[in-house]
Amino acid sequence: MHSNGTQASVAPLKLCVIPGDGIGAEVVPAAVQVLQQVAPEVEIHSAEAGWACFQKHGTSLPESTLELARSCGAVLFGATQSPAYPVEGYFSPIVRLRKTLRAYANLRPTTWLPVPAARPGVDLLVVRENTEDLYIGREQTRDDGDTGVAEKVITREATERVARLAYQLAVRVGRRKVTIVHKANVLPQSDGLFRRVALEVAADFPQIETDELFVDTAAYWMVKDPSRYDVILTMNLYGDILSDMAAAWGGGLGLAPSVSLGDGIALAEPVHGSAPDIAGKGISNPTATMLSVAMLLRHYWDRADAAARIEHAVHRALDSGEYTIDIYTDGALGTNEFTSRIIDRL
Ligand code: NAI
Ligand code: MG
């Protein structure tokens, strides 16, 4: 990443594609077809990860997949299915991948799309710190057996790099306000540090308006009037929850994209999971994954033109009532048919 918050335009034009499990195997190929239309020069390399991979190779994230991801720099990840019971040796490949690649800032935009469930006027971006907070997994049960303890870690370094990225991005893409979300009144040592460091960074960007909210009030406003928000800058757990709330205003999980950025690294993934209830039927919505590819183009390859082509094609298809079944059941299109309609519009 350049110091101005953009990825180098010399970022290698290579993409490591990891479909994963369930509908990952449907939505990722659909999004790759779209990418090949707008940026045929990107080299595509496929790799395995997930539950099926674990059953086949005894690991959910083979070393070869990690190496390929590192050497490409850009990754498109579908979804993986994690068993709901403890399995010896199994770990969540996406959490490990984000951590190993040091993809420290997770960007989750919610923008109004022409579908029945979306809320007009919403155009916000959650920038979520992706490497620490309660998600470091330092959790234990005390000897009494009835006390669970989890450690929350917030550091100056991680806060500063995500805050700087959020403000640089706000400047670059023409956003006007950043809202810092925390609970520093209850957690002055951890959230208080996040707040202080974020405000220090904010001082370097006088052209961007800054305000702050306690996370409970932030949730209230997310329901009451999401158009209050422009960019939200927050910690891992609050960002996870607020961005899922925001996704509902965008029209649902089938439409919610994301990208995680690090130094010279970008990991694009839809917000949704492997959707085992509909997997294999060819009816999943590939839009979230296509829009995640658009985010890669804009934020990593510096190809805003190609990103906009994908976004416009998606807008126009939805505006014509071309929907998959999660958006509207009557006359719903399958994954492949919907994808063809997008490609026709590119
Ligand atoms: P989910 O996101 O897979 O599904 C929730 C509901 O939304 C389901 O009814 C599903 O059919 C629907 N849905 C999701 N994406 C859709 C799409 N693109 N098109 C149409 N409908 C869609 O979440 P759930 O059910 O909680 O988890 C299922 C599995 O996915 C679990 O094993 C979970 O661990 C995993 N998961 C993986 C994630 C990842 O790999 N990043 C993220 C979230 C869950
Ligand atoms: Mg989540």
Side-chain angles (χ1 to χ4, degrees):
M1 175 130 344
H2 281 322
S3 56
N4 66 358
T6 60
Q7 295 283 347
S9 52
V10 292
L13 291 166
K14 284 191 198 171
L15 179 64
C16 169
V17 168
I18 306 175
D21 302 309
I23 63 167
E26 303 170 13
V27 295
V28 165
V32 167
Q33 278 184 60
V34 164
L35 175 66
Q36 286 174 323
Q37 289 292 316
V38 299
E41 62 280 19
V42 174
E43 266 176 45
I44 309 289
H45 302 269
S46 296
E48 285 180 289
W51 178 237
C53 174
F54 178 78
Q55 287 170 314
K56 205 161 117 199
H57 305 295
T59 171
S60 59
L61 185 65
E63 196 51 44
S64 55
T65 298
L66 260 177
E67 262 167 42
L68 187 65
R70 270 199 209 96
S71 76
C72 288
V75 179
L76 176 63
F77 187 91
T80 55
Q81 185 172 339
S82 292
Y85 45 89
V87 172
E88 177 75 24
Y90 184 89
F91 55 82
S92 161
I94 185 63
V95 173
R96 182 71 60 96
L97 200 58
R98 288 179 193 139
K99 198 168 163 175
T100 313
L101 298 178
R102 281 193 277 274
Y104 60 80
N106 185 213
L107 274 46
R108 292 184 169 197
T110 299
T111 308
W112 178 84
L113 286 169
V115 299
R119 177 148 168 169
V122 180
D123 182 13
L124 62 88
L125 172 68
V126 177
V127 179
R128 162 185 171 193
E129 202 291 321
N130 224 7
T131 64
E132 52 183 35
D133 194 356
L134 281 164
Y135 286 27
I136 54 172
R138 269 184 236 155
E139 210 194 0
Q140 50 157 312
T141 302
R142 293 237 172 100
D143 290 341
D144 65 7
D146 290 322
T147 309
V149 180
E151 212 174 321
K152 170 162 180 153
V153 173
I154 301 297
T155 65
R156 166 172 287 275
E157 187 193 1
T159 304
E160 197 172 334
R161 69 185 175 194
V162 73
R164 207 157 281 287
L165 185 142
Y167 276 91
Q168 285 166 341
L169 189 67
V171 170
R172 186 161 67 89
V173 302
R175 298 266 179 183
R176 85 204 133 71
K177 183 171 80 176
V178 173
T179 302
I180 301 165
V181 172
H182 57 78
K183 191 74 180 174
N185 51 341
V186 175
L187 298 164
Q189 311 282 338
S190 49
D191 284 31
L193 176 66
F194 186 90
R195 173 181 178 272
R196 283 196 304 280
V197 172
L199 287 171
E200 280 169 30
V201 172
D204 292 340
F205 296 87
Q207 68 274 48
I208 302 286
E209 186 191 331
T210 295
D211 68 353
E212 54 180 309
L213 285 178
F214 294 129
V215 63
D216 43 351
T217 312
Y220 171 83
W221 282 110
M222 187 60 84
V223 174
K224 171 104 174 145
D225 181 14
S227 68
R228 166 199 197 289
Y229 292 114
D230 193 1
V231 176
I232 293 175
L233 166 62
T234 192
M235 286 156 273
N236 211 338
L237 175 61
Y238 307 149
D240 191 357
I241 298 168
L242 287 173
S243 62
D244 274 31
M245 291 174 75
W249 290 140
L253 279 173
L255 303 173
S258 86
V259 70
S260 294
L261 300 177
D263 294 327
I265 284 288
L267 175 53
E269 41 167 327
V271 169
H272 64 72
S274 63
D277 52 338
I278 60 163
K281 296 184 180 159
I283 58 171
S284 57
N285 187 350
T287 306
T289 314
M290 292 173 181
L291 294 176
S292 301
V293 164
M295 292 187 79
L296 265 186
L297 286 160
R298 175 170 287 115
H299 298 293
Y300 184 72
W301 285 313
D302 212 4
R303 290 285 310 276
D305 53 334
R309 278 181 70 198
I310 296 177
E311 289 157 356
H312 290 154
V314 164
H315 260 263
R316 294 211 311 282
L318 296 176
D319 206 28
S320 312
E322 292 173 16
Y323 298 144
T324 45
I325 199 161
D326 54 315
I327 304 299
Y328 201 72
T329 45
D330 281 356
L333 304 174
T335 312
N336 291 339
E337 205 179 342
F338 179 82
T339 303
S340 308
R341 305 284 181 97
I342 298 293
I343 288 173
D344 288 347
R345 285 183 164 82
L346 284 170

